[in-house]
Every structure is written in C-alpha cells, then in structure tokens.
Amino acid sequence: MPYQPEYSHRLPASFYCRTDVVQVAKDLLGKKLVTKFDNKPTTGIITEVEAYRAPDDRACHAFGNRRTKRTEIMFQEGGRAYIYLCYGIHHLFNVVTAPEGMAHAVLVRGIEPLEGIETMFQRRGIKPGAKGIIPTKLTTGPGALAQALGLHTHQTGHSLIHPDSEIWIEDRGVIVSENTIDAGPRIGVDYAGECAAWEWRFWLRDSRFVSKGNSSYDSKS
DNA sequence: ATGAAGATCAACT
DNA sequence: GTTGATCTTCATT
C-alpha cells in the first residue's frame, strides 16, 4: 500500500519498515536528509539512491543473509543508519529498511544542499565557485555527501526515528512524480554477476546533483 | 597472522 | 581514461 506523507515530521517507522526496498528507495527521492552534529544543521534534498537487498542480491553486503559484525545492522528493524568505510577512505551512508530479519538498505548517493552550506564546504575542504554557484562535487557521490554532512562509520546503527537522534529524514511535501525519476544499473557493482544489471539506481532527472549516467548535467563547471 | 577486495574520489595525462 | 590513496572487513592459513 502507498505510503502516506506526513509533513513537518521525521519520517516514521512505517516509511522505513516496508518490505519493498526498491519502492522505499524511490520514495526517498525528494526527501530532506538532515544531520545536526555540534549544533550545526546540514540538510539537503535526496537526489540519487540505490537499493540493496538480501538475500538474493549479490551486490548486497548481506548477500545470502550473511551475518557478520558489519552487516548485523542491516538485519535490524528499518529506520537506522548503516555506515561503512569504502576503499579505506569513504564513509558511505545507507538507510536500513524493512522489518527486523530482512537485510535491506538504500545507499544515498547524492543530495542537493539546502542548509548549512558553509559547514559543508569546510568539511569538504573546498571553496564556493564564482557567483555563489554551488559546485556539484560538494554533495554529489556517496563519499562526498557523507563527508559534507559529517557522517562517519562510528554513527552506524544510529536511529533515524528517535526524537533525540542527530540524523534523520523529513518529508517537506516535495512531490516527485514517477516520470521525473530515471533508473539505471547501480555503480561499482560489476562483480555482482546478473545482479549488476538490475536497474536499482534511481535519480531525479532534472537535478545537477547526480553522480553520472545523466549526460545533460555531466561536468558543467 | 595474512592477504585480497572494495556500493569512491581527485588528480593527474 | 588511468591511477594512487588508504584501511576495514572477512576468509583463509
């Protein structure tokens, strides 16, 4: 059944705990991702996501329902952060979905910055472009976005629902119709056999803050 | 104890 | 288009 938006609130458990992670991934587009560390809010609209699903998805860390210390978090009830280190450098932020026992997650790959942009530039170690145009590299790509929002592996497992948590997602009432969403294969999962071809990457066609595969917005300074 | 691989990015040529 | 950085996790010895 379709999710009913709630305005001006953290997305509730009922949003995250649905069993169709592909649908949840699409529904996350247009939502507002918020972190508030050290009383510095940084926020942005989610523009690009990928779905991962155990047990049948070979690209998922929990493929075959493999439980390890790292993947354990994905088996918990939806509405938590799963953050892990990639290539020894990048902290990738995922949203855990589905009820307890189903290891599903959505990787957030891009946001359009809204608030706390100064803080994001500082964390990223880059400067604003000419005329105040925000360079897409500020928050495009999962490693970049996590750095801009101050997300780190030590926050893995943190709740997105609990009123005191420092990471959450809001519905601002942005309507994303199906025909403004594009889909394609996930990035960097060529090793995953036939699963590599699944079109479980979704992005807002009209956003600049999308990592690749969208030729009309590539590499414009 | 050891080694291989990885849901990436930036700086090159 | 190619490559180096950098380190945790997991499987194997």
Side-chain angles (χ1 to χ4, degrees), chain A residues 100-140:
Chain A
E100 184 177 359
M102 301 181 80
H104 297 181
V106 178
L107 172 67
V108 181
R109 296 188 51 90
I111 63 170
E112 175 181 341
L114 282 185
E115 297 151 292
I117 291 172
E118 293 285 314
T119 302
M120 296 191 204
F121 276 115
Q122 287 172 10
R123 287 175 177 150
R124 295 275 293 123
I126 58 181
K127 304 230 169 181
K131 299 180 181 178
I133 302 294
I134 298 174
T136 57
K137 68 177 182 179
L138 183 66
T139 54
T140 298

Side-chain angles (χ1 to χ4, degrees), chain A residues 88-210:
Chain A
I89 300 174
H90 305 288
H91 300 258
L92 301 208
F93 171 74
N94 301 252
V95 176
V96 176
T97 72
E100 184 177 359
M102 301 181 80
H104 297 181
V106 178
L107 172 67
V108 181
R109 296 188 51 90
I111 63 170
E112 175 181 341
L114 282 185
E115 297 151 292
I117 291 172
E118 293 285 314
T119 302
M120 296 191 204
F121 276 115
Q122 287 172 10
R123 287 175 177 150
R124 295 275 293 123
I126 58 181
K127 304 230 169 181
K131 299 180 181 178
I133 302 294
I134 298 174
T136 57
K137 68 177 182 179
L138 183 66
T139 54
T140 298
L145 162 174
Q147 184 178 39
L149 294 195
L151 292 161
H152 189 279
T153 55
H154 62 56
Q155 294 139 0
T156 197
H158 283 205
S159 174
L160 309 181
I161 298 169
H162 189 283
D164 295 336
S165 77
E166 297 175 309
I167 310 167
W168 69 92
I169 302 173
E170 295 179 0
D171 189 337
R172 295 196 109 209
V174 174
I175 305 298
V176 176
S177 67
E178 189 75 22
N179 62 15
T180 65
I181 297 174
D182 277 353
R186 294 169 295 178
I187 305 291
V189 298
D190 295 346
Y191 60 88
E194 62 183 11
C195 309
W198 295 354
E199 297 199 332
W200 281 9
R201 172 173 170 255
F202 304 99
W203 64 92
L204 297 179
R205 185 187 312 131
D206 298 326
S207 177
R208 299 164 57 220
F209 297 89
V210 168

